[in-house]
Amino acid sequence: MTITAETRLVGLFGYPVGHSLSPAMHNAAFAALGLNLRYVAFPVPPEHLADAVRALRALSFRGVNVTIPHKVAIVPFLDALDEEARAIGAVNTVIVEADGRLVGTNTDGRGYVRSLLEETGVDLAAQRVLILGAGGAARAVAISLARCGAPRIAIANRTPEKAAELAAHVASYADAWAVPPERLADAVREATLLVNTTSVGMVPHADETPLPPEWLHDGLVVSDLVYRPLKTRLLREAEARGLVTHGGLGMLIHQGALAFERWTGRSAPVALMRDAALRALAAEKEGKDC
Ligand code: NAP
């Protein structure tokens, strides 16, 4: 589609943004639906975040996604947060309303839950969840799992203080507690849904895994937020044991689809967005092989 005088922008504010799959995903969706919008990734250094947010209104953006390191820092520059963003305490999507108001939401956690339910069919109300990690992604996932009905959520992290802090926050929505490192094996044994939200296993360290494979047990559903590679060592070892697994790409697609729906008021073409993201990942890999 040609860029015209009517073309409006959406995009991504992060630092860096070079590896983002979102431009490929959203631009494919805009083209398919004939929407005169373009998605551009903007590397915004922290000291320019306030100026970049002001520009959203001045330049008639429809909105932006927000990624590391701006998800919390952007909050004071917005006019309002919706309930999801308030509960998570961070923003991954900004909507520029018709009256110019900047509203922050967070689609990471709901994107994760949508993808988990779509790909595994688990009954959240019956799960004993163990989350590995206590960073930004863990926060969104833990809060959304709790708000969507997971009643018991244990959190284990390399830095135990952060697990305790996150558990205290999630405790407003579910029975939540921090797992001391020496009790991790027991916590895995007691869990029915294991969610890796750490970066362990992500390229260039794809040979790493957060748990010894012998800790995986029958009936455990294993979910990993990492999508580079699409199938992490943790997921390969779980599959080899015959367990139900869930990779990180679905979360990326669904958080994007939810943002797309907020910006456009249209249903997101989810399958097409997934194909576009997979093509971009494949192109990335080819580029590296050359
Ligand atoms: P973050 O805020 O920096 O948190 C990183 C987490 O990983 C922390 O809990 C950290 O523990 C832990 N960690 C890092 N290296 C570790 C190691 N060697 N051993 C044990 N724990 C380690 O990052 P984030 O934004 O939460 O992202 C975490 C992962 O989720 C990344 O791989 C990211 O690509 C993925 N992610 C995927 C999606 C998706 O759409 N699928 C969305 C967001 C994030 P400490 O607290 O001890 O440092």
Side-chain angles (χ1 to χ4, degrees):
M1 280 176 68
T2 359
I3 290 183
T4 69
E6 302 291 311
T7 304
R8 290 291 166 263
L9 286 179
V10 290
L12 173 67
F13 287 175
Y15 197 67
V17 292
H19 289 293
S20 174
L21 300 177
S22 294
M25 214 162 69
H26 284 285
N27 285 322
F30 296 148
L33 270 63
L35 298 172
N36 199 353
L37 291 166
R38 289 294 185 286
Y39 189 107
V40 179
F42 296 95
V44 177
E47 64 275 21
H48 289 155
L49 181 62
D51 288 340
V53 175
R54 266 194 294 276
L56 292 176
R57 205 179 276 128
L59 301 179
S60 304
F61 273 65
R62 286 285 179 85
V64 278
N65 286 136
V66 182
T67 189
I68 290 172
H70 301 318
K71 287 185 175 185
V72 175
I74 199 168
V75 170
F77 306 126
L78 303 178
D79 297 310
L81 300 189
D82 74 2
E83 208 201 332
E84 194 80 7
R86 277 201 306 274
I88 293 169
V91 163
N92 85 328
T93 301
V94 176
I95 302 111
V96 184
E97 303 276 16
D99 61 3
R101 271 163 41 89
L102 304 177
V103 177
T105 184
N106 196 313
T107 64
D108 281 337
R110 276 187 302 135
Y112 172 77
V113 172
R114 264 200 193 184
S115 149
L116 177 76
L117 298 182
E118 180 182 277
E119 292 183 37
T120 69
V122 293
D123 171 12
L124 283 185
Q127 300 307 313
R128 296 188 299 276
V129 181
L130 171 60
I131 293 180
L132 305 178
R139 198 172 173 92
V141 164
I143 294 287
S144 293
L145 282 171
R147 282 164 57 94
C148 291
R152 293 162 51 89
I153 300 184
I155 300 165
N157 192 44
R158 177 178 63 179
T159 311
E161 299 76 27
K162 285 200 208 161
E165 196 185 305
L166 179 54
H169 184 63
V170 178
S172 311
Y173 302 94
D175 186 10
W177 66 96
V179 176
E182 67 279 8
R183 282 228 50 236
L184 184 56
D186 296 331
V188 175
R189 203 172 307 119
E190 285 156 18
T192 58
L193 170 62
L194 173 78
V195 189
N196 176 41
T197 74
T198 76
S199 43
V200 177
M202 188 168 84
V203 289
H205 304 292
D207 55 330
E208 292 178 2
T209 181
L211 293 179
E214 56 276 16
W215 288 10
L216 302 171
H217 57 82
D218 287 350
L220 184 68
V221 174
V222 181
S223 171
D224 198 333
L225 265 56
V226 172
Y227 56 84
R228 281 186 178 97
L230 286 171
K231 211 171 270 181
T232 58
R233 180 175 160 193
L234 173 67
L235 294 187
R236 289 199 311 276
E237 288 174 345
E239 258 184 25
R241 216 186 174 293
L243 306 184
V244 173
T245 63
H246 170 241
L249 188 69
M251 172 178 176
L252 177 82
I253 306 298
H254 279 290
Q255 64 74 30
L258 288 163
F260 179 99
E261 288 168 3
R262 291 295 300 270
W263 294 326
T264 65
R266 304 277 296 269
S267 286
V270 174
L272 184 140
M273 291 170 84
R274 185 185 304 271
D275 286 348
L278 283 170
R279 272 199 308 278
L281 272 175
E284 208 176 76
K285 208 162 165 231
E286 252 172 46
K288 279 208 187 98
D289 289 345
C290 288

